[in-house]
Amino acid sequence: MRAPASVKQDFLKKWVNGLQLCSKAKQDMGVLERKKAIKLSADIAIACTRNGRTHWSRALIANASKQGDNKVLVGHLLAPECERLKKASMESTMPSKQFRSKKILKKSCRARRVMMKRRSSKTPQVALAKSIATRMVKKRTQVLKTLVPGGEFMDDISLIQETLDYIMFLRAQVDGMTAVAKASEAAIRK
């Protein structure tokens, strides 16, 4: 894993480059358009900082490029890394082959039946508490899947890993944007 300082520096370079491209693309922007351009360039910069190696970074890029206005801008922002990102996304979408023999499948079904019999013999309070806990975990997992870009296509384990990675990069994004805001305030006061 990279040091947070290098992540922030890499993000800032790419974000400033994105902002410059946005300002060149549209000279006369309103407040709402400027807000969208800042968010778009920040999202693309943070996704490029992660080098398209995660589901959330590829999902951010895909979501940004879906909008018709942004396609050209996203293409310019991703120009140097576009080929590598395309290859990474193609590799991740290829289905992995899983083979199971019938014997293994039958054994797992038998084991499942035995476990169900054992569970039914437990006290009702323990079973009730366990079912409530299971439902709470499922609900929280569904909420998490909506928060992380591309989360709806992940299994639970990779969702946790991707969420931790996404949080780290969002923190770097916030720290970088805060530093830019403080620097611009200091420049205005002088």
Side-chain angles (χ1 to χ4, degrees), residues 2 27-28 30 50 59 88 92 138 142 150-151 155 180 186:
R2 292 168 46 186
Q27 295 294 329
D28 188 31
R50 193 59 183 113
S92 70
K138 284 184 181 179
Q142 289 302 318
D155 62 300
V180 169

mmCIF file of all heavy atoms in Angstrom, residues 2 27-28 30 50 59 88 92 138 142 150-151 155 180 186:
data_model
loop_
_atom_site.group_PDB
_atom_site.id
_atom_site.type_symbol
_atom_site.label_atom_id
_atom_site.label_comp_id
_atom_site.label_asym_id
_atom_site.label_seq_id
_atom_site.Cartn_x
_atom_site.Cartn_y
_atom_site.Cartn_z
ATOM 1 N N ARG A 2 0.465 2.242 -0.733
ATOM 2 C CA ARG A 2 1.239 3.463 -0.855
ATOM 3 C C ARG A 2 1.074 4.346 0.368
ATOM 4 O O ARG A 2 0.080 4.279 1.065
ATOM 5 C CB ARG A 2 0.779 4.227 -2.093
ATOM 6 C CG ARG A 2 1.126 3.503 -3.356
ATOM 7 C CD ARG A 2 0.461 4.048 -4.572
ATOM 8 N NE ARG A 2 0.525 5.485 -4.671
ATOM 9 C CZ ARG A 2 -0.091 6.179 -5.602
ATOM 10 N NH1 ARG A 2 -0.802 5.555 -6.501
ATOM 11 N NH2 ARG A 2 -0.016 7.471 -5.651
ATOM 12 N N GLN A 27 -15.383 27.870 -21.162
ATOM 13 C CA GLN A 27 -14.879 29.131 -20.629
ATOM 14 C C GLN A 27 -15.888 29.813 -19.708
ATOM 15 O O GLN A 27 -15.539 30.331 -18.675
ATOM 16 C CB GLN A 27 -14.511 30.079 -21.791
ATOM 17 C CG GLN A 27 -13.369 29.589 -22.636
ATOM 18 C CD GLN A 27 -12.060 29.539 -21.871
ATOM 19 O OE1 GLN A 27 -11.817 30.322 -20.979
ATOM 20 N NE2 GLN A 27 -11.225 28.569 -22.222
ATOM 21 N N ASP A 28 -17.147 29.791 -20.096
ATOM 22 C CA ASP A 28 -18.174 30.504 -19.345
ATOM 23 C C ASP A 28 -19.052 29.481 -18.611
ATOM 24 O O ASP A 28 -20.032 28.992 -19.156
ATOM 25 C CB ASP A 28 -19.016 31.357 -20.314
ATOM 26 C CG ASP A 28 -19.966 32.262 -19.571
ATOM 27 O OD1 ASP A 28 -19.620 32.676 -18.443
ATOM 28 O OD2 ASP A 28 -21.048 32.549 -20.107
ATOM 29 N N GLY A 30 -21.374 28.368 -15.209
ATOM 30 C CA GLY A 30 -22.139 28.835 -14.070
ATOM 31 C C GLY A 30 -21.684 28.101 -12.812
ATOM 32 O O GLY A 30 -20.815 27.229 -12.853
ATOM 33 N N ARG A 50 -5.845 5.406 -8.047
ATOM 34 C CA ARG A 50 -5.911 3.984 -7.692
ATOM 35 C C ARG A 50 -5.561 3.099 -8.880
ATOM 36 O O ARG A 50 -5.466 1.895 -8.748
ATOM 37 C CB ARG A 50 -7.315 3.646 -7.172
ATOM 38 C CG ARG A 50 -7.412 2.317 -6.506
ATOM 39 C CD ARG A 50 -6.467 2.242 -5.322
ATOM 40 N NE ARG A 50 -6.509 0.929 -4.709
ATOM 41 C CZ ARG A 50 -5.500 0.086 -4.730
ATOM 42 N NH1 ARG A 50 -4.369 0.409 -5.292
ATOM 43 N NH2 ARG A 50 -5.602 -1.083 -4.151
ATOM 44 N N ALA A 59 -15.719 1.657 -11.408
ATOM 45 C CA ALA A 59 -17.121 2.089 -11.391
ATOM 46 C C ALA A 59 -17.224 3.609 -11.475
ATOM 47 O O ALA A 59 -18.105 4.136 -12.155
ATOM 48 C CB ALA A 59 -17.814 1.577 -10.137
ATOM 49 N N ALA A 88 -7.453 -3.580 -17.842
ATOM 50 C CA ALA A 88 -7.785 -4.013 -16.476
ATOM 51 C C ALA A 88 -9.269 -4.294 -16.345
ATOM 52 O O ALA A 88 -9.673 -5.272 -15.721
ATOM 53 C CB ALA A 88 -7.359 -2.945 -15.471
ATOM 54 N N SER A 92 -11.116 -7.964 -15.546
ATOM 55 C CA SER A 92 -11.983 -8.145 -14.379
ATOM 56 C C SER A 92 -13.374 -8.613 -14.769
ATOM 57 O O SER A 92 -14.063 -9.223 -13.961
ATOM 58 C CB SER A 92 -12.081 -6.844 -13.588
ATOM 59 O OG SER A 92 -12.812 -5.899 -14.322
ATOM 60 N N LYS A 138 -27.278 -8.292 6.958
ATOM 61 C CA LYS A 138 -27.706 -8.204 5.556
ATOM 62 C C LYS A 138 -28.148 -6.790 5.198
ATOM 63 O O LYS A 138 -27.818 -6.284 4.126
ATOM 64 C CB LYS A 138 -28.833 -9.199 5.276
ATOM 65 C CG LYS A 138 -28.360 -10.615 5.140
ATOM 66 C CD LYS A 138 -29.491 -11.550 4.775
ATOM 67 C CE LYS A 138 -28.994 -12.977 4.675
ATOM 68 N NZ LYS A 138 -30.072 -13.911 4.342
ATOM 69 N N GLN A 142 -26.324 -4.298 2.501
ATOM 70 C CA GLN A 142 -27.031 -3.688 1.372
ATOM 71 C C GLN A 142 -26.809 -2.176 1.338
ATOM 72 O O GLN A 142 -26.615 -1.589 0.270
ATOM 73 C CB GLN A 142 -28.532 -4.001 1.441
ATOM 74 C CG GLN A 142 -28.867 -5.445 1.140
ATOM 75 C CD GLN A 142 -28.385 -5.870 -0.231
ATOM 76 O OE1 GLN A 142 -28.503 -5.150 -1.206
ATOM 77 N NE2 GLN A 142 -27.817 -7.066 -0.296
ATOM 78 N N GLY A 150 -19.851 0.663 -7.511
ATOM 79 C CA GLY A 150 -19.662 -0.697 -7.994
ATOM 80 C C GLY A 150 -19.912 -1.754 -6.936
ATOM 81 O O GLY A 150 -19.708 -2.933 -7.177
ATOM 82 N N GLY A 151 -20.359 -1.358 -5.758
ATOM 83 C CA GLY A 151 -20.554 -2.282 -4.649
ATOM 84 C C GLY A 151 -21.642 -3.301 -4.873
ATOM 85 O O GLY A 151 -21.593 -4.397 -4.325
ATOM 86 N N ASP A 155 -19.112 -9.412 -3.806
ATOM 87 C CA ASP A 155 -19.493 -10.284 -2.706
ATOM 88 C C ASP A 155 -19.094 -9.609 -1.394
ATOM 89 O O ASP A 155 -18.431 -8.576 -1.396
ATOM 90 C CB ASP A 155 -18.826 -11.656 -2.850
ATOM 91 C CG ASP A 155 -17.322 -11.562 -2.805
ATOM 92 O OD1 ASP A 155 -16.750 -10.867 -3.677
ATOM 93 O OD2 ASP A 155 -16.717 -12.175 -1.914
ATOM 94 N N VAL A 180 -5.900 22.632 -0.738
ATOM 95 C CA VAL A 180 -6.071 23.596 -1.834
ATOM 96 C C VAL A 180 -6.956 24.756 -1.392
ATOM 97 O O VAL A 180 -6.672 25.926 -1.691
ATOM 98 C CB VAL A 180 -6.655 22.902 -3.088
ATOM 99 C CG1 VAL A 180 -7.082 23.899 -4.137
ATOM 100 C CG2 VAL A 180 -5.627 21.940 -3.673
ATOM 101 N N ALA A 186 -5.498 31.682 1.816
ATOM 102 C CA ALA A 186 -4.314 32.417 2.219
ATOM 103 C C ALA A 186 -3.851 33.355 1.098
ATOM 104 O O ALA A 186 -3.408 34.479 1.371
ATOM 105 C CB ALA A 186 -3.208 31.456 2.577
#
